[in-house]
Amino acid sequence: MQKYIEILKQSPLFEGMKGEETEGLLFSLNPKIKKYKKGVFIIMAGAPVREFGIVLSGSVLVIKEDMRGLRSIIAQCGPSEMFAEALACAQVERSPVSVVVDENAEIMFINFESVMRAGQRAARLIKNMLMLLARKNIFLNSKLEHVSKRNIREKLLSYLMEQRRRAGRAEFEIPLTQTDLADFLFIDRSAMARELAKMRSERLVTFTGRKFAIKNIKGGKYE
Amino acid sequence: MQKYIEILKQSPLFEGMKGEETEGLLFSLNPKIKKYKKGVFIIMAGAPVREFGIVLSGSVLVIKEDMRGLRSIIAQCGPSEMFAEALACAQVERSPVSVVVDENAEIMFINFESVMRAGQRAARLIKNMLMLLARKNIFLNSKLEHVSKRNIREKLLSYLMEQRRRAGRAEFEIPLTQTDLADFLFIDRSAMARELAKMRSERLVTFTGRKFAIKNIKGGKYE
DNA sequence: AACATTCTGTTGCGTATGCAACAAATTTAA
DNA sequence: TTAAATTTGTTGCATACGCAACAGAATGTT
């Protein structure tokens, strides 16, 4: 357990709390830690959700599959990030999404009710949780912005521009494979590859694998 | 002010609080109430957001406009519902969205920082806010589910099925005009009208204006 | 090192969909 | 009650896109 404390201190969920505070609180919250291999389903769509997860190592994907087996990626969570907190908080009885391991992962689970019952000592945690939910909200909105674009090129540019902004430089590495990116943007992979090739031939972007570089769009339309 | 207290008691934000409690807390939060006419912009994209709003009457749309003036509707808020709380909470300096009045509205604004400073007496409010943010999160996810569908018919069915579920009956009235619905689902209005006509001719749906009725899809694919 | 798996790149085909443009119906405002 | 504005319905056209299928590159596994 002790080895995880360091990772958890990094987590924005415990921001502003002293080490002992965090440990004491954690003790009373009685978290469970589990290890998973790539591809394993941590949460299955349809199941109730009482606990939220914190990624200690590796990464997970929040996904949604339709009846035809078409997969859509809702979000990706890396170390110290949280998932399923909205579901646990809203006490949903049937999860609309699945959570699947992307890279071999260690996950800490915390029961949401136990946080709410912890009273005054969890006040800071709750405030942090509020902030994080707000941020995730904004993230979902930005994702909506990407997919609201009416064609593939605009979706790609919207996404890539955001990645560039986050990286702070013209060259950057996206956190998804191209295959996953297509699922993330709800578009066909081959159509995306075609459009990327076209954009490359127009010298709008350069890329190999996950490494991208994009030109500044004239007129600053997208910045 | 007093006349609004009744509306606010309805609001899930103040759920679980006694009347006097709500009034006392409100007093110290020093909210502002304003009236707006249809079409007026309450929040302009690009502006900082420090306060969140509660709709006392009328309704508002949270929208996003791209450089070509193409409008996308992110969400709609009616009486006792909240908006911009995620933005205020995350203290964003440049709002990515605009908020525009749909039907003549009265709005109460509360400064988010003042809530965080209110301490123990606002504990319940903060918990409620947490729950509401979680629900909005889930709403955004369900919206993502609609727009993740790969063609117009599936998007429509996904949306209409949800509306039917909420109404609890096969006949229901959607809260948007068809024009707005198209913007909400990020699709072309005329293409949507064409698909709706096709679905009607196949006796999948019947509708006039905002009133819809949909058949149960065989096999329960969508329920 | 050998094999299996996953990812990237490319192409032909058919069609769903965005767009523009207009008429008719309905709602809102004066 | 009229006029104005908005919403709904329809259609032709061009094409962007989803789909299927396959080859080569890259990555992971034993």
Side-chain angles (χ1 to χ4, degrees), chain B residues 32 43 49-53 83-85 88 109-112:
Chain B
K32 294 169 210 154
I43 294 178
V49 179
R50 300 271 139 68
E51 301 161 325
F52 62 92
F83 62 88
E85 75 281 14
F109 293 98
I110 298 176
N111 181 280
F112 185 78

Side-chain angles (χ1 to χ4, degrees), chain B residues 6 19 52 81 93 113 138 148 181-182 186 194-195:
Chain B
E6 287 310 310
F52 62 92
E81 290 187 305
E93 287 307 314
E113 267 305 307
I138 290 168
S148 77
L181 177 57
F186 307 143
R194 173 165 44 204
E195 191 63 35

Side-chain angles (χ1 to χ4, degrees), chain A:
Chain A
M1 167 66 104
Q2 193 54 44
K3 67 182 253 208
Y4 298 119
I5 294 286
E6 286 311 310
I7 301 170
L8 291 174
K9 281 182 189 163
Q10 308 269 336
S11 171
L13 187 58
F14 296 98
E15 193 173 299
M17 293 176 68
K18 296 211 183 76
E20 320 86 79
E21 250 185 298
T22 303
E23 290 178 44
L25 182 57
L26 268 181
F27 183 78
S28 71
L29 292 179
N30 188 34
K32 296 168 208 154
I33 294 173
K34 293 183 190 168
K35 291 189 181 189
Y36 296 95
K37 294 250 171 202
K38 173 169 181 155
V40 172
F41 276 69
I42 299 179
I43 295 177
M44 287 283 274
V49 180
R50 299 272 137 69
E51 301 161 326
F52 62 92
I54 300 175
V55 180
L56 298 173
S57 67
S59 65
V60 303
L61 295 177
V62 183
I63 65 167
K64 173 99 203 165
E65 289 172 308
D66 70 6
M67 43 278 165
R68 275 182 301 167
L70 220 61
R71 186 187 70 151
S72 300
I73 296 180
I74 308 295
Q76 184 194 37
C77 303
S80 88
E81 290 187 305
M82 231 186 338
F83 62 88
E85 74 281 15
L87 298 174
C89 177
Q91 304 171 51
V92 305
E93 288 307 313
R94 323 183 86 251
S95 172
V97 298
S98 300
V99 177
V100 62
V101 178
D102 192 19
E103 304 158 287
N104 292 352
E106 293 170 290
I107 309 290
M108 168 178 285
F109 293 98
I110 298 177
N111 182 279
F112 185 79
E113 268 305 308
S114 69
V115 173
M116 292 310 253
R117 275 197 305 266
Q120 185 60 21
R121 59 198 309 214
R124 181 63 201 242
L125 187 88
I126 289 175
K127 283 189 182 181
N128 286 343
M129 179 87 82
L130 190 63
M131 172 71 82
L132 290 170
L133 267 180
R135 294 223 187 102
K136 189 156 281 193
N137 234 290
I138 289 169
F139 164 80
L140 287 172
N141 268 300
S142 86
K143 164 141 192 189
L144 272 176
E145 194 181 331
H146 301 326
V147 303
S148 76
K149 295 289 171 359
R150 313 285 162 123
N151 59 47
I152 290 184
R153 176 172 295 209
E154 301 243 334
K155 285 179 203 197
L156 278 169
L157 283 174
S158 177
Y159 176 82
L160 292 174
M161 287 291 168
E162 177 170 314
Q163 291 299 317
R164 187 186 70 148
R165 212 178 308 132
R166 293 162 74 102
R169 53 208 310 278
E171 306 83 35
F172 52 90
E173 186 164 352
I174 64 173
L176 298 168
T177 67
Q178 287 182 27
T179 303
D180 283 351
L181 178 56
D183 284 346
F184 183 79
L185 294 178
F186 308 142
I187 55 187
D188 181 72
R189 187 198 59 79
S190 72
M192 186 185 93
R194 174 165 44 203
E195 191 63 35
L196 273 175
K198 211 183 289 177
M199 289 163 73
R200 172 147 60 188
S201 78
E202 296 174 24
R203 302 179 190 272
L204 258 171
V205 300
T206 59
F207 62 94
T208 43
R210 296 183 178 190
K211 288 187 171 55
F212 282 78
I214 42 178
K215 283 265 177 60
N216 272 311
I217 306 296
K218 56 176 179 298
K221 279 186 179 182
Y222 292 91
E223 28 189 26

